[in-house]
Amino acid sequence: MSELRRIVQFRQGDDADAHRPPRTAGRVIAQGDHDMHVRSRARKLFTAMTVGALALGAGVATASATSAAPAATAVPAKTSALEAKRVGSVPTPKPDWFDCSEVVGPRADCGTVQLPLDYDAPKGATTEVALLRIRVADPSKKVGTLFLNPGGPGGSGVSIAAAAPSFLSKSLLAKFDVVGFDPRGTNFSDNVKCFKNLGAQAKQLKPILQTPFPLGATERASYIGASEKFGKACSTTGKPLAASMSTAEVARDMDVLRRVVGDKKLTYLGFSYGTYLGNVYANLFPDRVRALVIDGVLDPVAWAGTASTQSIPQTQRLKSGEGASRALQEILKRCQKAGPTKCNLAGLGDPEIVYDRFIAKAKKTPIALKDDEGNVVVSLNYAVVTSWLLGDLYAPVAGTAIDWDLSYMIQLADAAAAPVPPAAKKAARIALVDRVHAKKLAATKSTAKVDRLASQLGFGFPYDNSLDAFQSVLCTDGLNPAKASSWTTATRYAELSAPGFGPLWSWASAPCASSTWTATDEDAYRGSFAHRTSAPVLVVGSYWDPATNYEGAVRAAQLLPNSRLLSSDNWGHTAYGTSKCVTGAIDTYLLTAKTPRAGKVCKGDEQPFTTPLDGGSGGIGAPRTGSTKSLPPIVAPLPGDRPQY
């Protein structure tokens, strides 16, 4: 078994009509040096116009996406002869299961299998893939096996399976063995390694590691240079694994593993990037689907790219920045409506104007956030602030998190309408430092259980390949511009469309420039994404998701002829666990293959600014009302991190 790598972070964990379900991200037109107030008013007017259009279009989108759900007489597409031969030529592996329940929890088995590096050469080189299984307590009640994937790309399936008892419903745990596997090249599986050692990695990637996205010509030049070196390293040192990590290869692995556990058809729940894995599986093996849920959906055509869109960066095509920007603006708008008794920012003035004023100041003069000893904890420049706010938007309590963090930042920067007293500034500084430490501590604790497993088995940590893994999947999956320098122009447009968040997401794919990332997988999947599956696919989209734009769910459901779109008006990234409505609908579908009614919309339990500030809201990160379960362990960026799906 290979060495343990970075494990995904664990997050804490009724039917209703939507609040203006957004389908299309708005374009914010830059106003140059115009007055902040004018710019904010223009944005409000645009938002009002957009909301009207969205409300009109939502019914059409939902109808078109859900009306395709299944005629009983429709014939599903067949797995192609080529794909059937590829996976069928591989003898069913026998995992070397061993009991790891002492570290993971009751009824946990760990193991590895050897799978073909290239499915066109099933008897050739292999790569080791790690898996973890949580068995049902009563085998007589077992329905089958539920496969999980947490996203990334590069997130740990082993880790999410280990966490399953904390976030999956009891009804699922009673009926399904739960299996997670670390996609080839990642985590416990054989690792892709683009650099000879950690020192070489850190030296070459320093410009990428030190900022969420580059600011100014000097930083951009360094970032572009590092991106080019990254692509070349993965296309040389990283091979052959870097050229064999496309999602299609992982989908083929999953079909072989489906056979390993004895299931005739696949039952699957995938989050974020895991939705692309689920979508690719559904289209490669459409007649092998028992029940397949994709939650927090990436637009599959945008991810893969086409000849007409390859000049646009992959992570810009997905419109993740627009989704995050839309969510933030909605929070600021709701804050204004709620007023200062429920939202701190409203006490500083019009939240949108106050925010614009703060961002303008952060662009000019970064704020050095220092601890009590005078050490700089983090420099709050435009890029870091954007990254911090994106992390807040990943949570179901996004409104509370944004309100408190922005309020502290604004007080520290003295960017509000009125001067901030020194005592208030000091309090804001201490609160922000505590927030940084708390976020980092939560990230550390989240990996503790699987770290103990690694330690028990004698694994070390000489090389963190999480960046290598992310890029190896991203870059082999999607088409991208030829030159990393092209991202400079592309991100200028991204800044207009989604200030801050657009560049943050767009720059993430710069190492994929095709002239320097030459490690290609000839068997990567490019479509179509419109095959009729043997059972309906449940497509779940959240209106305010800051990573996987709701448009992606609409598009995926429109493409899949045998699918049902379930919409959720929840905050944060992905929907499972954010309300009884959405969780119950997903559970019912996985257990019975019965989809929710067409056009169903759920409302998240947590909604911004419904409780007075002195009413004991529970604070940032407190458990949700009525919830005893955690959320799925989806990766959220820490302040200063690059984003992940």
Side-chain angles (χ1 to χ4, degrees), residues 174-235:
K175 298 289 186 178
F176 291 99
D177 284 351
V178 177
V179 168
F181 67 98
D182 286 344
R184 50 175 58 207
T186 75
N187 301 287
F188 281 121
S189 297
D190 280 345
N191 276 195
V192 65
K193 189 174 179 181
C194 296
F195 300 91
K196 292 182 179 180
N197 52 55
L198 185 61
Q201 182 199 54
K203 181 179 179 181
Q204 298 294 325
L205 300 187
K206 183 178 179 181
I208 292 175
L209 296 170
Q210 66 186 5
T211 182
F213 63 91
L215 300 171
T218 301
E219 276 194 8
R220 280 195 298 272
S222 296
Y223 198 100
I224 289 167
S227 296
E228 292 171 342
K229 293 174 183 176
F230 200 172
K232 291 176 182 177
C234 288
S235 301

XYZ file of all heavy atoms in Angstrom, residues 174-235:
469
model
N -27.911 1.026 7.335
C -28.508 -0.268 7.660
C -28.677 -1.160 6.431
O -28.806 -2.383 6.567
C -29.866 -0.067 8.324
N -28.677 -0.568 5.244
C -28.982 -1.318 4.024
C -27.792 -1.485 3.078
O -27.828 -2.347 2.193
C -30.118 -0.615 3.263
C -31.428 -0.525 4.020
C -32.105 -1.883 4.148
C -33.485 -1.758 4.769
N -34.158 -3.081 4.860
N -26.774 -0.644 3.231
C -25.661 -0.680 2.290
C -24.320 -0.852 2.993
O -24.062 -0.194 4.012
C -25.586 0.626 1.483
C -26.709 0.837 0.510
C -27.782 1.652 0.834
C -26.691 0.220 -0.735
C -28.819 1.856 -0.057
C -27.727 0.412 -1.639
C -28.794 1.232 -1.303
N -23.479 -1.717 2.450
C -22.060 -1.570 2.718
C -21.648 -0.251 2.084
O -22.133 0.099 0.995
C -21.253 -2.697 2.052
C -21.363 -4.022 2.783
O -21.913 -4.051 3.897
O -20.905 -5.033 2.221
N -20.780 0.486 2.736
C -20.297 1.750 2.183
C -18.847 1.561 1.778
O -18.021 1.095 2.577
C -20.420 2.892 3.210
C -19.834 4.181 2.641
C -21.880 3.094 3.601
N -18.523 1.899 0.537
C -17.164 1.741 0.024
C -16.666 3.059 -0.544
O -17.371 3.738 -1.295
C -17.087 0.646 -1.060
C -15.747 0.699 -1.803
C -17.277 -0.728 -0.445
N -15.462 3.414 -0.154
C -14.770 4.534 -0.769
C -13.414 4.057 -1.245
O -12.775 3.233 -0.579
N -12.992 4.525 -2.412
C -11.652 4.184 -2.878
C -10.926 5.469 -3.253
O -11.533 6.428 -3.732
C -11.696 3.199 -4.054
C -12.280 3.757 -5.331
C -11.455 4.228 -6.348
C -13.656 3.791 -5.529
C -11.996 4.732 -7.529
C -14.208 4.295 -6.699
C -13.371 4.770 -7.704
N -9.633 5.488 -2.989
C -8.829 6.644 -3.360
C -8.513 6.561 -4.841
O -7.850 5.609 -5.283
C -7.534 6.688 -2.550
C -7.768 7.122 -1.114
O -8.851 7.677 -0.830
O -6.878 6.908 -0.275
N -9.007 7.510 -5.634
C -8.735 7.455 -7.071
C -7.250 7.294 -7.365
O -6.401 7.807 -6.632
C -9.259 8.810 -7.564
C -10.342 9.165 -6.591
C -9.835 8.674 -5.268
N -6.950 6.576 -8.404
C -5.568 6.316 -8.782
C -4.726 7.595 -8.725
O -5.165 8.675 -9.126
C -5.513 5.719 -10.188
C -6.306 6.510 -11.220
C -6.144 5.981 -12.629
N -6.545 4.586 -12.747
C -6.034 3.754 -13.667
N -5.139 4.189 -14.542
N -6.440 2.508 -13.724
N -3.547 7.472 -8.170
C -2.634 8.607 -8.087
C -2.770 9.447 -6.843
O -2.003 10.388 -6.646
N -3.740 9.121 -5.966
C -4.037 10.002 -4.832
C -4.008 9.254 -3.504
O -4.215 8.045 -3.442
C -5.437 10.638 -4.980
O -6.448 9.654 -4.686
C -5.669 11.166 -6.394
N -3.742 9.992 -2.431
C -3.942 9.542 -1.059
C -3.287 8.196 -0.761
O -2.086 8.033 -0.923
C -5.444 9.545 -0.741
C -6.052 10.923 -0.912
O -5.820 11.811 -0.114
N -6.804 11.118 -1.987
N -4.077 7.172 -0.313
C -3.518 5.868 0.027
C -3.140 5.050 -1.205
O -2.422 4.062 -1.095
C -4.522 5.053 0.853
C -4.593 5.431 2.298
C -5.788 5.855 2.860
C -3.481 5.351 3.110
C -5.877 6.177 4.199
C -3.556 5.667 4.453
C -4.755 6.089 4.998
N -3.683 5.389 -2.360
C -3.339 4.671 -3.586
C -1.945 5.090 -4.050
O -1.369 6.060 -3.549
C -4.376 4.972 -4.674
O -5.656 4.508 -4.303
N -1.395 4.352 -5.030
C -0.114 4.762 -5.600
C -0.186 6.228 -5.988
O -1.146 6.651 -6.647
C 0.204 3.924 -6.843
C 0.772 2.562 -6.494
O 1.190 2.372 -5.338
O 0.796 1.690 -7.386
N 0.831 6.991 -5.602
C 0.776 8.444 -5.778
C 1.469 8.925 -7.047
O 2.586 8.492 -7.354
C 1.447 9.132 -4.590
C 0.527 9.311 -3.409
O 0.823 10.062 -2.504
N -0.602 8.619 -3.405
N 0.796 9.829 -7.744
C 1.481 10.567 -8.797
C 2.488 11.503 -8.125
O 2.221 12.066 -7.060
C 0.490 11.358 -9.670
C -0.227 12.450 -8.880
C 1.181 11.956 -10.889
N 3.624 11.661 -8.739
C 4.688 12.471 -8.149
C 5.384 13.225 -9.265
O 6.149 12.641 -10.038
C 5.671 11.563 -7.404
C 6.715 12.281 -6.570
C 7.534 11.267 -5.778
C 8.606 11.948 -4.949
N 9.423 10.952 -4.193
N 5.105 14.525 -9.360
C 5.622 15.331 -10.466
C 7.018 15.887 -10.203
O 7.654 16.406 -11.130
C 4.661 16.475 -10.773
S 3.038 15.915 -11.368
N 7.481 15.804 -8.965
C 8.793 16.341 -8.608
C 9.584 15.270 -7.861
O 9.006 14.376 -7.248
C 8.647 17.600 -7.755
C 7.909 18.709 -8.451
C 6.530 18.817 -8.330
C 8.584 19.630 -9.243
C 5.840 19.831 -8.977
C 7.896 20.640 -9.903
C 6.525 20.742 -9.769
N 10.891 15.370 -7.898
C 11.745 14.353 -7.295
C 11.606 14.311 -5.782
O 11.725 13.257 -5.164
C 13.200 14.593 -7.692
C 13.478 14.349 -9.173
C 14.945 14.560 -9.501
C 15.213 14.283 -10.981
N 16.649 14.488 -11.321
N 11.361 15.467 -5.182
C 11.242 15.513 -3.730
C 10.474 16.759 -3.326
O 10.138 17.609 -4.171
C 12.620 15.484 -3.058
C 13.548 16.547 -3.611
O 13.221 17.739 -3.620
N 14.719 16.133 -4.093
N 10.203 16.871 -2.032
C 9.416 17.986 -1.520
C 10.110 19.326 -1.744
O 9.460 20.333 -2.037
C 9.153 17.780 -0.027
C 8.231 18.791 0.660
C 6.855 18.761 0.031
C 8.136 18.493 2.153
N 11.434 19.331 -1.634
C 12.176 20.575 -1.845
C 12.033 21.096 -3.259
O 11.815 22.295 -3.473
N 12.142 20.204 -4.229
C 11.992 20.610 -5.624
C 10.571 21.094 -5.895
O 10.356 22.085 -6.616
C 12.340 19.442 -6.538
N 9.613 20.410 -5.307
C 8.216 20.820 -5.478
C 7.996 22.229 -4.928
O 7.413 23.094 -5.594
C 7.297 19.826 -4.776
C 5.807 20.130 -4.935
C 4.964 19.436 -3.882
O 5.215 19.574 -2.682
N 3.970 18.682 -4.321
N 8.464 22.453 -3.698
C 8.256 23.753 -3.058
C 8.956 24.872 -3.824
O 8.414 25.978 -3.982
C 8.770 23.701 -1.617
N 10.153 24.602 -4.312
C 10.917 25.619 -5.047
C 10.221 25.997 -6.350
O 10.088 27.179 -6.678
C 12.321 25.101 -5.322
C 13.209 26.103 -6.065
C 14.606 25.526 -6.286
C 15.481 26.527 -7.053
N 16.842 25.959 -7.293
N 9.787 24.988 -7.088
C 9.182 25.248 -8.395
C 7.786 25.873 -8.271
O 7.401 26.691 -9.107
C 9.087 23.939 -9.195
C 10.418 23.286 -9.494
C 11.286 24.122 -10.421
O 10.792 24.787 -11.321
N 12.588 24.101 -10.185
N 7.058 25.483 -7.244
C 5.657 25.920 -7.139
C 5.445 27.083 -6.172
O 4.308 27.468 -5.908
C 4.779 24.741 -6.711
C 4.758 23.528 -7.638
C 3.712 22.524 -7.171
C 4.499 23.931 -9.082
N 6.517 27.653 -5.641
C 6.385 28.712 -4.643
C 5.445 29.830 -5.081
O 4.581 30.260 -4.304
C 7.763 29.275 -4.289
C 7.710 30.335 -3.194
C 9.110 30.831 -2.828
C 9.035 31.909 -1.743
N 10.380 32.419 -1.393
N 5.547 30.356 -6.310
C 4.626 31.435 -6.710
C 3.159 31.023 -6.689
O 2.277 31.849 -6.485
C 5.088 31.771 -8.136
C 6.513 31.346 -8.182
C 6.551 30.090 -7.349
N 2.895 29.735 -6.902
C 1.520 29.238 -6.866
C 1.062 29.027 -5.433
O -0.096 29.303 -5.084
C 1.408 27.920 -7.667
C 1.613 28.196 -9.162
C 0.064 27.238 -7.433
C 1.641 26.949 -10.019
N 1.977 28.559 -4.588
C 1.629 28.242 -3.208
C 1.454 29.475 -2.331
O 0.769 29.423 -1.312
C 2.708 27.337 -2.598
C 2.866 25.954 -3.233
C 4.113 25.265 -2.701
C 1.638 25.099 -2.984
N 2.072 30.593 -2.705
C 2.078 31.744 -1.802
C 0.924 32.706 -2.028
O 0.770 33.676 -1.281
C 3.400 32.501 -1.926
C 3.634 33.170 -3.268
C 5.025 33.777 -3.380
O 5.859 33.618 -2.483
N 5.285 34.494 -4.467
N 0.061 32.449 -3.011
C -1.083 33.334 -3.224
C -2.244 32.557 -3.835
O -2.013 31.658 -4.662
C -0.719 34.513 -4.145
O -1.859 35.377 -4.295
C -0.275 34.042 -5.524
N -3.475 32.861 -3.449
C -4.627 32.203 -4.078
C -4.724 32.520 -5.567
O -5.141 31.678 -6.358
C -5.821 32.774 -3.311
C -5.258 33.250 -2.017
C -3.879 33.734 -2.328
N -4.376 33.745 -5.950
C -4.253 34.121 -7.357
C -3.355 35.353 -7.432
O -3.267 36.130 -6.480
C -5.617 34.368 -8.018
C -6.424 35.509 -7.466
C -6.320 36.799 -7.987
C -7.334 35.290 -6.446
C -7.093 37.840 -7.493
C -8.110 36.330 -5.938
C -7.985 37.609 -6.464
N -2.643 35.515 -8.533
C -1.627 36.573 -8.604
C -2.231 37.964 -8.756
O -3.241 38.160 -9.433
C -0.819 36.196 -9.841
C -1.780 35.430 -10.700
C -2.675 34.690 -9.752
N -1.566 38.932 -8.129
C -1.956 40.336 -8.211
C -0.784 41.130 -8.783
O 0.331 41.037 -8.281
C -2.316 40.878 -6.824
C -3.463 40.181 -6.088
C -3.552 40.686 -4.646
C -4.785 40.395 -6.815
N -1.013 41.890 -9.824
C 0.041 42.717 -10.403
C 0.916 41.947 -11.378
O 0.964 40.718 -11.386
N 1.640 42.704 -12.207
C 2.420 42.116 -13.292
C 3.516 41.181 -12.789
O 3.754 40.118 -13.377
C 3.028 43.230 -14.141
N 4.198 41.559 -11.714
C 5.300 40.737 -11.206
C 4.797 39.386 -10.715
O 5.360 38.334 -11.046
C 6.037 41.471 -10.068
O 6.543 42.722 -10.569
C 7.186 40.636 -9.548
N 3.744 39.409 -9.912
C 3.183 38.149 -9.416
C 2.647 37.301 -10.559
O 2.801 36.080 -10.569
C 2.068 38.422 -8.397
C 2.564 38.672 -6.987
C 1.437 38.605 -5.958
O 0.297 38.209 -6.320
O 1.695 38.953 -4.793
N 2.005 37.947 -11.534
C 1.466 37.183 -12.665
C 2.573 36.476 -13.438
O 2.453 35.307 -13.816
C 0.663 38.092 -13.599
C -0.744 38.382 -13.111
C -1.610 38.965 -14.213
N -1.101 40.242 -14.706
C -1.410 41.424 -14.197
N -2.236 41.502 -13.152
N -0.925 42.539 -14.704
N 3.665 37.181 -13.682
C 4.775 36.575 -14.422
C 5.339 35.367 -13.670
O 5.632 34.325 -14.271
C 5.870 37.615 -14.661
N 5.481 35.508 -12.351
C 5.997 34.392 -11.549
C 5.014 33.232 -11.540
O 5.406 32.060 -11.624
C 6.267 34.862 -10.115
O 7.279 35.844 -10.083
N 3.742 33.538 -11.424
C 2.709 32.508 -11.382
C 2.668 31.750 -12.714
O 2.565 30.518 -12.736
C 1.357 33.158 -11.097
C 0.275 32.221 -10.601
C -0.040 32.149 -9.256
C -0.445 31.422 -11.490
C -1.042 31.306 -8.795
C -1.448 30.573 -11.043
C -1.744 30.521 -9.691
O -2.737 29.676 -9.239
N 2.742 32.485 -13.806
C 2.740 31.858 -15.138
C 3.963 30.970 -15.308
O 3.873 29.836 -15.796
C 2.682 32.942 -16.232
C 1.285 33.598 -16.236
C 2.998 32.357 -17.606
C 1.214 34.878 -17.048
N 5.121 31.459 -14.877
C 6.340 30.660 -14.967
C 6.244 29.374 -14.160
O 6.655 28.299 -14.620
N 5.702 29.478 -12.947
C 5.540 28.292 -12.106
C 4.533 27.323 -12.721
O 4.704 26.095 -12.643
C 5.093 28.703 -10.709
N 3.490 27.855 -13.329
C 2.489 27.004 -13.980
C 3.105 26.226 -15.137
O 2.815 25.031 -15.333
C 1.316 27.851 -14.486
O 0.631 28.466 -13.415
N 3.959 26.886 -15.885
C 4.639 26.206 -16.993
C 5.560 25.100 -16.470
O 5.599 23.990 -17.027
C 5.425 27.223 -17.812
C 4.531 28.203 -18.567
C 5.297 29.346 -19.209
O 6.460 29.583 -18.796
O 4.744 30.009 -20.111
N 6.284 25.385 -15.401
C 7.166 24.373 -14.805
C 6.352 23.200 -14.252
O 6.776 22.038 -14.340
C 8.010 25.005 -13.705
C 9.031 26.022 -14.202
C 9.728 26.719 -13.039
C 10.688 27.794 -13.551
N 11.301 28.548 -12.421
N 5.207 23.517 -13.679
C 4.324 22.486 -13.130
C 3.887 21.538 -14.247
O 3.971 20.301 -14.128
C 3.115 23.163 -12.485
C 2.365 22.315 -11.488
C 1.348 22.886 -10.716
C 2.642 20.969 -11.303
C 0.640 22.132 -9.796
C 1.940 20.202 -10.376
C 0.931 20.788 -9.631
N 3.414 22.112 -15.350
C 2.968 21.293 -16.474
C 4.069 20.417 -17.027
O 3.867 19.228 -17.314
N 5.256 20.980 -17.171
C 6.392 20.209 -17.701
C 6.798 19.098 -16.737
O 7.138 17.985 -17.166
C 7.560 21.144 -17.975
C 7.329 22.102 -19.140
C 8.490 23.082 -19.301
C 8.233 24.059 -20.439
N 9.330 25.059 -20.561
N 6.773 19.387 -15.428
C 7.167 18.380 -14.436
C 6.216 17.198 -14.447
O 6.637 16.033 -14.403
C 7.217 19.013 -13.042
N 4.918 17.470 -14.490
C 3.945 16.370 -14.486
C 3.960 15.609 -15.809
O 3.569 14.445 -15.860
C 2.544 16.908 -14.198
S 2.296 17.424 -12.482
N 4.423 16.269 -16.869
C 4.476 15.625 -18.182
C 5.772 14.861 -18.410
O 5.946 14.231 -19.456
C 4.294 16.680 -19.282
O 3.061 17.343 -19.135
